[in-house]
Amino acid sequence: MESLVSTEWLAGELGAPDLRVIDATIFLPGAGRNARAEYEAEHIPGAVFLDLDEVVDSANPAPHMLPPEHKFASRMQTLGLGDGNRFVIYDNTPLHSAARAWWMLRIFGAHYVAILDGGLAKWKAEGRPLESGVHHGRHAHFSAYLDAGQVVTKDELLGLIGTDGQSIVDARGAGRFAGEEAEPRPGVVPGHIPGARNLPQSELFNADNSWKRGGALRAAFDAAGVDLAKPMITTCGSGVTAAVLLFGAHLLGKNDVRLYDGSWSEWGADPATPKAVGHE
């Protein structure tokens, strides 16, 4: 299975015994939308709702930090997501949060994980079937083994500031990156990590919400001044849209990319971390 699948492909595969469809929609605080309620109102037939606000390390004050292995396994099993399944993830949010769920499943050991190109918006625009309510999958066994080498910590990133061996790329909008807009979470100052480049994650998508590919996708990284020859670290507000950049790089065949899980919610809340403003 490819990492990015079409709506046509998914329509043909729906109902396959090993296929699991996941709605991983999430919104920024204050967006005025409820991802779970929207899922219950309409979703792709058979899809389960993966709550990215809940599948987290609840002992960490930063939002969306990766949960312990046992918690991730438990949540997957309750949703009926098990070893050997093929997973197709979609969302219905400007944050394109399916990429975060794709990244999480992969680093916890899942082998067959794909994102639905265009998400629910494209599925609906094509008049494809929907259902409402809550889909309950049969309890499954999920073996979670975290590949911690794919995750960047604050301490590691602090040691890389001022060096030239990594590309640090921030997925937030230009206003937040430059420190011109307030952060959506309390206690987090505006700005960005020194030396980071800004590539708003929305730049990786076409008008119909499908992913850019090939030259158009590469051009988005080039326009942001990202050196694709260097290993990359992606960051954002809370580790969600950082996964969009990571997946975009993956579509270009670049896999030496890691994600700073704490992202600006952690970095910007720490008075001791260096911070920059403006556009570099």
Side-chain angles (χ1 to χ4, degrees):
M1 186 171 66
E2 298 291 331
S3 296
L4 189 65
V5 299
S6 68
T7 50
E8 181 181 18
W9 181 92
L10 180 58
E13 290 289 314
L14 278 184
D18 65 333
L19 184 72
R20 301 292 182 270
V21 183
I22 302 168
D23 184 325
T25 299
I26 195 173
F27 300 107
L28 277 174
R33 296 177 65 181
N34 184 306
R36 186 181 293 274
E38 292 188 16
Y39 159 80
E40 292 182 5
E42 57 178 13
H43 54 261
I44 294 174
V48 297
F49 180 70
L50 175 60
D51 189 345
L52 292 176
D53 281 325
E54 193 276 334
V55 187
V56 299
D57 180 359
S58 54
N60 194 306
H64 304 138
M65 297 294 281
L66 286 169
E69 291 172 342
H70 69 272
K71 181 174 182 178
F72 189 81
S74 173
R75 297 302 185 271
M76 297 306 103
Q77 290 166 182
T78 299
L79 291 173
L81 309 177
D83 296 338
N85 288 154
R86 294 180 296 158
F87 304 113
V88 175
I89 311 164
Y90 72 89
D91 62 60
N92 188 34
T93 171
L95 301 179
H96 299 106
S97 52
R100 172 73 183 192
W102 176 87
W103 179 73
M104 291 175 72
L105 279 160
R106 296 245 306 182
I107 65 168
F108 276 110
H111 298 291
Y112 311 106
V113 193
I115 290 176
L116 177 65
D117 198 13
L120 187 64
K122 193 168 189 291
W123 183 270
K124 289 174 62 176
E126 295 168 350
R128 299 191 186 275
L130 297 165
E131 68 178 13
S132 59
V134 178
H135 181 80
H136 296 284
R138 181 181 298 178
H139 192 277
H141 179 76
F142 188 98
S143 304
Y145 302 102
L146 175 63
D147 183 358
Q150 301 300 313
V151 187
V152 178
T153 66
K154 180 178 67 176
D155 287 343
E156 181 182 359
L157 194 52
L158 277 167
L160 294 172
I161 299 300
T163 66
D164 194 38
Q166 307 263 342
S167 293
I168 303 172
V169 193
D170 191 320
R172 293 175 298 159
R176 287 177 66 192
F177 177 84
E180 298 165 352
E181 297 177 9
E183 284 295 305
R185 297 177 176 87
V188 180
V189 302
H192 61 265
I193 297 166
R197 296 288 183 172
N198 184 213
L199 174 52
Q201 56 89 19
S202 58
E203 295 296 315
L204 304 192
F205 297 88
N206 298 307
D208 66 352
N209 201 46
S210 64
W211 285 81
K212 292 180 179 178
R213 304 296 298 270
L217 181 57
R218 181 175 293 274
F221 284 92
D222 290 343
V226 178
D227 185 349
L228 289 170
K230 295 179 181 179
M232 185 188 300
I233 295 170
T234 63
T235 181
C236 61
S238 66
V240 174
T241 58
V244 177
L245 301 187
L246 185 146
F247 185 79
H250 172 77
L251 290 177
L252 291 173
K254 181 176 178 60
N255 293 306
D256 56 343
V257 185
R258 298 182 296 154
L259 190 148
Y260 171 33
D261 201 28
S263 282
W264 194 252
S265 293
E266 180 180 56
W267 193 275
D270 185 349
T273 54
K275 302 168 183 71
V277 295
H279 295 280
E280 296 187 15

